[in-house]
Amino acid sequence: MSEISRRAALKALGLATASAVAGGAVATNAFRPQEQSQPSAATLQPTANVSSTGTFSPTATPATAPAVELYPFEGVYQAGVITDPPEAVLLVSLQVLATKPDDLVKIMQILTARSREMMAGQMGAAAAEDATFPPHNTGELGYDPLKDGRLSVMVGLGSSLFTRDGKDRFGLASKKPIALKPMPRDLVGDRLAGSTRLDGDILLQISSDHPLVNFHAFRDILKNTKGLVSPVWVQPGFQRYFQNMQPGEAKARGLLGFKDGTANLDVTDAELMSKLIWTGPEEPDWAQGGTYVAVRVIREQIERWDRLNLSQQEASIGRTKTTGATLDTKTETALPDYAADPDGVKVPLNSHVRKANPRLGEESDKRRMLRRGFLYMNGVDKSGLLDAGFLFQGFCRNIEEQFEFVKRNYMTNRHFPKQNTGVQDLDEYIFCVGGGYFFVPAGVQKEDRFLADALLLG
Ligand code: HEM
């Protein structure tokens, strides 16, 4: 096959795949306030290489089918929430410079168009460039259609986009999602004074399997939104995933060495996702089918942690370091029985897992959230200590009732679950240095629609 026809074939495949999935989603999964639906396992995964168990497996590709590791841009929900997290992330907080509502429409249209094109792997060939304009493709990823990377650009809206300093900036104040507000400055343990990584009008969670793909997408978006937005803070992150894990087993470990993701929500459980993640009739029409995300840049005091003995580390988390089992069980997926351990003899009352999810039945079940974390390393600080930690992202149907409730009433409540329990032990080794609360609108389901259009044009 010639280079040109190979490109054309791949491009066509990218287009065909994306629009086929989008078409399917529109026909079968259109979001209706009364009848919330969930994408099938296939729409959560890249457009190829999906095994029967729903796990992403590059090696499972039949020899005849070209590997196309793309996430569809179009869908009921934005990619980047329940899609399998890839290995690299770039969190970007943007400030909107424009002041007119029409400009906000333009920004969302550009974000939509650029994300749509980049997620389809179509940056274009060098031959297509017009020498009289700046190159469409900035070039650092090359000129072949990108068929790897699992890129997604998830867009979130900050409270300051609706109201800032008491002003209704774009006439959208009355449409603000019910629980959207700036990240509170009074959460116990946070060290936010002087933070340069706080809030933002727009959040981009750009994730893919390579930092260069993320950087490229960010750079492309900046180039195309010049004068309309300006980046306020940017934080890269990474993760390394294990392959072939069984359902319920964690796919990664954090910098503290413990398995991360064991007791996370099952994203293929549509009912659970509708109950705990996707917004419903409680929100203004335009905001239904979206979700909230609490982004927390959590610095870990790794040098101190590394001097704790193994039992102290395990008591702090509440799980065994090697296997991931809670301290009262033997296997990673076995459920702890906190009722049988009321004084925390086995799983300490101030351990992270017991504070984060005390398993009190309905009362704490409704507080659970979807965690999609990455790790970060920014070198060392002025003292020569590692400036590294966890980029926590907690997705919730209601950020106050879930993330914030857990943080305030369980983790940092000294008298929970019992009088004088103290805050969670882990807080001696971590502190939050930045982040924000954002609302993630529903996905774009048709080619003529754009992100948050129901907010801006509705
Ligand atoms: C540096 C910060 C953090 C570290 C190192 C950390 C680490 C862990 C680890 C090792 C687990 C056990 C494995 C698992 O189920 O994934 C876990 C569970 C969990 N974490 Fe965190 N976490 C951090 C921050 C947070 C924050 C900010 C929240 C939310 C407020 C949170 C909520 C949870 C929840 C809900 C669970 C599941 C507990 C269960 O259902 O048993 N974590 N975390």
Side-chain angles (χ1 to χ4, degrees):
M1 198 185 271
S2 74
E3 182 57 17
I4 290 172
S5 53
R6 193 180 72 84
R7 281 206 190 113
L10 275 171
K11 183 168 175 176
L13 180 68
L15 273 171
T17 316
S19 52
V21 172
V26 170
T28 57
N29 283 331
F31 174 75
R32 311 230 189 318
Q34 303 307 321
E35 181 206 320
Q36 219 170 27
S37 59
Q38 179 81 3
S40 67
T43 63
L44 309 183
Q45 306 291 338
T47 49
N49 297 350
V50 181
S51 74
S52 56
T53 55
T55 49
F56 176 70
S57 154
T59 50
T61 319
T64 47
V68 181
E69 299 173 21
L70 302 172
Y71 282 134
F73 171 74
E74 277 161 11
V76 179
Y77 309 112
Q78 286 194 56
V81 182
I82 56 174
T83 38
D84 263 4
E87 305 223 327
V89 76
L90 197 59
L91 296 178
V92 176
S93 159
L94 300 172
Q95 176 188 7
V96 172
L97 303 174
T99 51
K100 294 195 295 261
D102 281 356
D103 286 337
L104 200 49
V105 169
K106 208 185 282 174
I107 291 167
M108 288 300 159
Q109 286 173 332
I110 296 171
L111 286 177
T112 303
R114 300 313 307 136
S115 304
R116 188 196 297 275
E117 181 176 348
M118 290 188 285
M119 284 174 64
Q122 304 157 43
M123 281 310 296
E129 299 288 7
D130 181 336
T132 56
F133 286 100
H136 177 62
N137 179 353
T138 48
E140 70 278 25
L141 294 176
Y143 293 90
D144 283 334
L146 300 172
K147 57 182 170 45
D148 60 358
R150 297 192 293 166
L151 173 69
S152 66
V153 181
M154 186 201 81
V155 174
L157 311 177
S159 139
S160 55
L161 192 69
F162 295 83
T163 46
R164 193 176 60 190
D165 303 328
K167 280 204 200 102
D168 183 355
R169 291 172 70 188
F170 299 100
L172 301 173
S174 63
K175 296 181 180 173
K176 195 171 179 170
I178 54 172
L180 187 62
K181 59 182 186 183
M183 189 168 84
R185 302 301 197 253
D186 66 337
L187 295 177
V188 174
D190 286 8
R191 297 191 199 166
L192 301 176
S195 172
T196 50
R197 284 173 290 182
L198 270 178
D199 304 331
D201 295 334
I202 296 176
L203 169 79
L204 304 179
Q205 182 213 222
I206 305 174
S207 55
S208 76
D209 278 323
H210 201 285
L212 190 57
V213 175
N214 293 343
F215 182 29
H216 172 83
F218 175 39
R219 178 174 163 186
D220 178 284
I221 286 169
L222 283 186
K223 181 173 74 129
N224 285 286
T225 50
K226 188 164 167 50
L228 296 171
V229 301
S230 168
V232 183
W233 59 272
V234 174
Q235 176 62 61
F238 52 89
Q239 182 49 280
R240 186 176 177 208
Y241 289 96
F242 321 136
Q243 302 298 321
N244 307 320
M245 302 311 290
Q246 297 303 309
E249 292 179 350
K251 292 192 188 130
R253 284 183 184 265
L255 294 177
L256 304 185
F258 282 75
K259 289 192 172 188
D260 183 20
T262 303
N264 210 353
L265 300 183
D266 175 2
V267 297
T268 64
D269 183 338
E271 207 179 314
L272 189 68
M273 291 295 108
S274 287
K275 198 169 156 202
L276 292 175
I277 306 305
W278 308 123
T279 49
E282 69 278 10
E283 292 285 353
D285 282 355
W286 77 269
Q288 298 179 17
T291 184
Y292 293 84
V293 62
V295 175
R296 309 265 296 165
V297 182
I298 305 178
R299 168 100 181 251
E300 294 175 347
Q301 296 180 281
I302 292 177
E303 292 86 349
R304 295 189 61 207
W305 179 262
D306 285 347
R307 288 197 300 271
L308 291 181
N309 68 36
L310 182 61
S311 315
Q312 289 168 322
Q313 293 186 355
E314 291 182 337
S316 187
I317 297 293
R319 286 187 180 267
T320 305
K321 199 166 184 182
T322 48
T323 64
T326 52
L327 297 177
D328 62 338
T329 62
K330 292 267 177 284
T331 59
E332 182 180 359
T333 49
L335 294 180
D337 185 356
Y338 297 151
D341 180 24
D343 299 322
V345 174
K346 292 180 177 163
V347 186
L349 299 179
N350 65 352
S351 63
H352 178 62
V353 294
R354 202 156 174 177
K355 280 278 201 175
N357 181 8
R359 299 178 191 253
L360 302 171
E362 179 49 28
E363 169 49 29
S364 59
D365 279 354
K366 67 182 184 200
R367 312 289 177 194
R368 286 179 303 157
M369 64 204 95
L370 177 66
R371 293 170 285 134
R372 193 181 206 264
F374 291 86
L375 315 175
Y376 78 90
M377 214 289 275
N378 292 342
V380 291
D381 66 13
K382 287 181 187 158
S383 311
L385 296 169
L386 288 167
D387 181 2
F390 192 43
L391 300 178
F392 175 89
Q393 296 185 103
F395 290 91
C396 324
R397 178 167 174 168
N398 185 307
I399 204 161
E400 287 183 322
E401 296 298 325
Q402 292 165 261
F403 167 77
E404 197 173 318
F405 186 96
V406 167
K407 178 81 183 132
R408 286 189 192 279
N409 298 287
Y410 296 161
M411 286 170 145
T412 59
N413 176 355
R414 295 177 191 212
H415 302 299
F416 181 86
K418 283 172 90 169
Q419 198 69 16
N420 297 324
T421 295
V423 301
Q424 63 166 356
D425 181 75
L426 188 59
D427 282 0
E428 285 196 30
Y429 307 95
I430 63 173
F431 53 93
C432 180
V433 293
Y437 282 6
F438 299 91
F439 182 79
V440 180
V444 174
Q445 296 191 50
K446 288 187 181 162
E447 277 195 26
D448 60 352
R449 303 280 305 269
F450 63 91
L451 283 160
D453 58 357
L455 163 69
L456 299 172
L457 306 180

